[in-house]
Amino acid sequence: AQSVTQPDARVTVSEGASLQLRCKYSYSATPYLFWYVQYPRQGLQLLLKYYSGDPVVQGVNSFEAEFSKSNSSFHLQKASVHWSDSAVYFCALSMISAGNKLTFGIGTRVLVRP
Amino acid sequence: DAGVTQTPRHEVAEKGQTIILKCEPVSGHNDLFWYRQTKIQGLELLSYFRSKSLMEDGGAFKDRFKAEMLNSSFSTLKIQPTEPKDSAVYLCASSSIPSGQLYFGEGSKLTVL
């Protein structure tokens, strides 16, 4: 069975600092991988996705993620965070055989201090 | 373009009541999902429809949870009877084939007393 692990429940960073959120997946083949963000009292919004090709993918708001097949990871990064990046971030995977159904990690809550 | 619309945004129910949550997917999307979101469990899949056909329903939720797609532009999630442990945010999402990207509604927050 497939699974997604986000080892950090909470991350606190100062405004202007860099941010890395970790994501590890378990799946026998190469999955489709996603990062979503959830702002307070809102639904989830797509930040970026990886299907194949270049392992570094660019997303909205200067986020990027790097896929590593050898490490079964898909870590999210941002060079310089803004207070508005405070939110919950979810890593997710889907399998070609399962349509568009997503399996989510538990999420990482990010707090950006001014 | 209109996104995914969920109603109501908030619902308070007494234990044992029946509640119905509603979802209108993005026009033209073929896939529709219901997820339950709690702090402890995160996002759990309740139901998955493709072109109105039920593809998957979360095994643990079968007994009191029933999702339906009445037509391609409207879905309901019925919880009957409700229990306090059902207190959560219920998210509806839709997707087109084969984009892979899910579009989420803002969710319906259910509180069961």
Side-chain angles (χ1 to χ4, degrees):
Chain A
Q2 74 284 359
S3 67
V4 177
T5 301
Q6 294 180 249
D8 304 308
R10 288 175 178 266
V11 171
T12 301
V13 294
S14 298
E15 195 166 26
S18 63
L19 174 70
Q20 184 189 63
L21 302 181
R22 295 181 292 165
C23 173
K24 300 269 286 184
Y25 69 88
S26 174
Y27 181 51
S28 55
T30 299
Y32 296 157
L33 293 161
F34 305 80
W35 276 98
Y36 281 81
V37 61
Q38 186 177 34
Y39 299 104
R41 294 173 295 282
Q42 295 186 26
L44 281 69
Q45 301 170 36
L46 181 70
L47 276 179
L48 46 79
K49 59 188 177 186
Y50 172 79
Y51 287 168
S52 64
D54 189 339
V56 179
V57 291
Q58 305 296 324
V60 298
N61 294 340
S62 303
F63 282 96
E64 68 174 35
E66 183 168 4
F67 168 69
S68 171
K69 187 172 183 177
S70 59
N71 293 325
S72 297
S73 67
F74 189 55
H75 300 330
L76 181 71
Q77 299 173 94
K78 186 170 183 177
S80 177
V81 296
H82 186 262
W83 64 266
S84 59
D85 293 321
S86 295
V88 182
Y89 292 79
F90 294 92
C91 183
L93 71 79
S94 69
M95 304 167 291
I96 298 171
S97 61
N100 291 331
K101 182 185 76 170
L102 291 181
T103 298
F104 287 89
I106 196 73
T108 298
R109 182 174 296 274
V110 173
L111 175 63
V112 180
R113 295 181 301 205
Chain B
D1 284 343
V4 176
T5 302
Q6 289 189 247
T7 55
R9 290 294 310 277
H10 301 276
E11 179 81 59
V12 179
E14 297 283 340
K15 179 183 173 182
Q17 272 187 286
T18 296
I19 66 102
I20 297 176
L21 305 177
K22 305 176 184 71
C23 175
E24 295 175 48
V26 175
S27 177
H29 281 188
N30 307 95
D31 285 355
L32 185 136
F33 305 85
W34 284 99
Y35 283 90
R36 184 172 81 169
Q37 184 179 21
T38 60
K39 284 187 169 58
I40 304 292
Q41 300 291 340
L43 285 107
E44 302 169 283
L45 181 70
L46 299 175
S47 295
Y48 166 26
F49 293 89
R50 170 158 285 187
S51 300
K52 300 191 294 179
S53 296
L54 182 64
M55 303 298 289
E56 184 171 337
D57 59 2
F61 299 96
K62 280 182 182 176
D63 57 345
R64 296 180 298 106
F65 292 73
K66 185 175 177 61
E68 291 184 305
M69 279 210 76
L70 306 179
N71 55 57
S72 61
S73 58
F74 187 71
S75 176
T76 59
L77 175 67
K78 179 191 286 187
I79 309 176
Q80 177 183 38
T82 52
E83 298 181 6
K85 65 182 179 181
D86 299 332
S87 297
V89 175
Y90 291 83
L91 292 168
C92 178
S94 69
S95 177
S96 64
I97 304 167
S99 78
Q101 176 181 345
L102 268 60
Y103 292 79
F104 283 83
E106 294 185 315
S108 294
K109 184 176 181 180
L110 173 65
T111 302
V112 183
L113 305 175

